[in-house]
Every structure is written in structure tokens, then in C-alpha cells.
Amino acid sequence: MTMQSYSRREEARDTVPPAEAIYVYEAPVRIWHWINAVSIMVLAVTGYLIGSPLPTQPGEVSAHFLMGYIRFAHFTAAYLFAIGLAGRAYWAIVGNHHAREMFWVPVFSREYWLDTFAMLRYYAFLGPTPRQFSGHNPLSRFAMFFVFLLVSLFMSVTGFALYGEGAQAGSWQQIAFGWVRPLLGQSQGVHTWHHLGMWAILIFVILHVYAAIREDIMGRQSVVGSMISGYRTFKK
């Protein structure tokens, strides 16, 4: 599907009668979603502690490995996050058309922007309930691409750049991402941007959870449950 193919007529295939269920999210997408959610939680907590370490522990330094465990958890979650993102990109190619919605936005479509502004008015309690979508609505699609996906790529690149600094010259992380540090102000600059990216992801997560629960209640459709069963249902 190309960006020019977005139209109300084609999107009508995703608009279903009330109480009917359609299969939207395939198993790999659902598995990735929940693994990704856990990874982000671990990355946020451990990343914050890496940036603002806990007070010094009593006793001999050699008896404590707390920061080592925190860093190990952060690196493990980071690899899960990055590998999961690559796997999600692969499934966008081989999966159904809903799997591709996160990776492109029909920015040249007038109908898309009309639907997006209708969703904005709806979320601001200024407009009526817009038409329903089986997959991501236009506003969530915009947020998934321009906020979640792009910031996630930025976090992966800056994260591996910082990891390469510790892995030192010759490591694949340093070879592949060593160019990032001088571009963003050396090590401290990359740390700062990486830290700010974490807060951007957390703000997105808060709004994402709010919007999903709100749609379950006010939109009369299953949103949270659809990421468990894969089916989107609509109520009268």
C-alpha cells in the first residue's frame, strides 16, 4: 500500500458493523508489544538509576555489585528492545496491512489529515465521536510513527554509541555507532540526549495507555483487549 492509496473508500474496509469482531493484530505483533512494554519499563528504571546512582553502599566496595546488576539489566533490556524493533520491521513486510501502519503515514492525503483533526477534536472533548477504525486511528498512527518509532530509533543509535564507548575500539558497537558521539557533543552530549529521549518515550507511554483505556470506555470498542486476543470488537 502506497501513501497515495489512503482514501475513505479503501479505509471503509476497516470499518465494521457494531458487535462484529475483526482480526487485527497477529501473534508476532502482540508478543512484540508486551515484550517491548516490559523492556521499556526496565530501561526507564535502570536508565534513571544509571544517570542518578543510588547512595554509596556501606562496607567494602568489592562486596557490592549493585550498579553492575543495574547496568546488566539495562543492557539486556536494550538488546531485547533493539532486536524486537528489527523483528517488528520485518513483520511489517510479511504481516497483514495493520502491521505496516506504524511504519508510514500518508502525509500527502487530505482525507488522512481530516480524520486526524477529527480525532484531535474528539480527544479534546470539542467534537463528536469520529468514525471507527479497526487498526490504529489516524492520530495514533501519527504518534506511533513520529514519536514512538523515530525516538526508538534515536534511542537505539545513541544507546549503542554509549555502549561502544565502554566496549572500546574494535567492537562492532564502536565501529557502527562511534560516529554518533562527536556528532552530538561527545560522551556527555550523547548521555544528555539519550536521557531526554527516555522522558519522551515515557510521556508517549503515559498518553498511549490513557488513550487506549479511554477508547475502551468512550469509543465503544476493544483496544486493550485487542492487543491480547488480536480481535477488535465494536459495540453499539
Side-chain angles (χ1 to χ4, degrees):
M1 184 182 293
T2 63
M3 295 208 304
Q4 288 77 12
S5 67
Y6 183 96
S7 69
R8 291 186 182 277
R9 184 180 63 184
E10 289 172 332
E11 286 297 312
R13 68 181 177 176
D14 295 336
T15 303
V16 297
E20 185 173 335
I22 22 176
Y23 189 59
V24 177
Y25 300 116
E26 298 164 298
V29 173
R30 304 197 307 273
I31 293 171
W32 166 80
H33 177 274
W34 295 113
I35 292 177
N36 198 57
V38 174
S39 298
I40 289 174
M41 290 175 59
V42 174
L43 285 167
V45 173
T46 55
Y48 179 83
L49 293 175
I50 290 172
S52 302
L54 295 170
T56 302
Q57 300 296 306
E60 292 294 331
V61 175
S62 59
H64 301 285
F65 196 64
L66 180 60
M67 287 304 300
Y69 291 128
I70 291 173
R71 284 166 55 86
F72 176 77
H74 190 80
F75 298 154
T76 302
Y79 270 103
L80 282 175
F81 182 81
I83 294 172
L85 196 62
R88 182 64 179 84
Y90 167 76
W91 198 257
I93 300 173
V94 302
N96 62 18
H97 71 280
H98 293 293
R100 294 187 283 276
E101 291 175 342
M102 191 181 84
F103 290 87
W104 71 278
V105 176
V107 293
F108 298 110
S109 168
R110 178 176 178 272
E111 289 81 5
Y112 169 80
W113 289 111
L114 289 175
D115 285 334
T116 300
F117 290 127
M119 292 302 303
L120 275 172
R121 286 175 53 83
Y122 166 64
Y123 279 117
F125 298 97
L126 296 175
T129 302
R131 66 193 183 94
Q132 295 172 318
F133 297 84
S134 59
H136 293 295
N137 67 57
L139 183 60
S140 66
R141 189 169 176 176
F142 181 93
M144 288 296 292
F145 179 82
F146 286 105
V147 181
F148 175 77
L149 179 61
L150 296 186
V151 175
S152 294
L153 291 173
F154 177 80
M155 293 297 284
S156 298
V157 169
T158 53
F160 279 119
L162 293 172
Y163 191 93
E165 189 174 25
Q168 299 183 356
S171 65
W172 71 265
Q173 297 93 342
Q174 172 63 22
I175 294 173
F177 301 100
W179 55 271
V180 176
R181 292 200 304 276
L183 182 66
L184 296 180
Q186 298 303 335
S187 180
Q188 185 56 52
V190 179
H191 273 93
T192 300
W193 284 108
H194 194 71
H195 193 78
L196 291 174
M198 177 194 74
W199 287 110
I201 290 287
L202 288 179
I203 291 171
F204 168 84
V205 168
I206 293 170
L207 295 176
H208 175 67
V209 172
Y210 162 74
I213 296 175
R214 182 185 190 273
E215 279 302 283
D216 265 357
I217 299 170
M218 301 184 62
R220 307 297 291 168
Q221 56 182 308
S222 64
V223 178
V224 178
S226 65
M227 196 50 73
I228 298 175
S229 67
Y231 286 89
R232 176 69 57 82
T233 58
F234 298 84
K235 306 172 186 176
K236 292 183 180 179

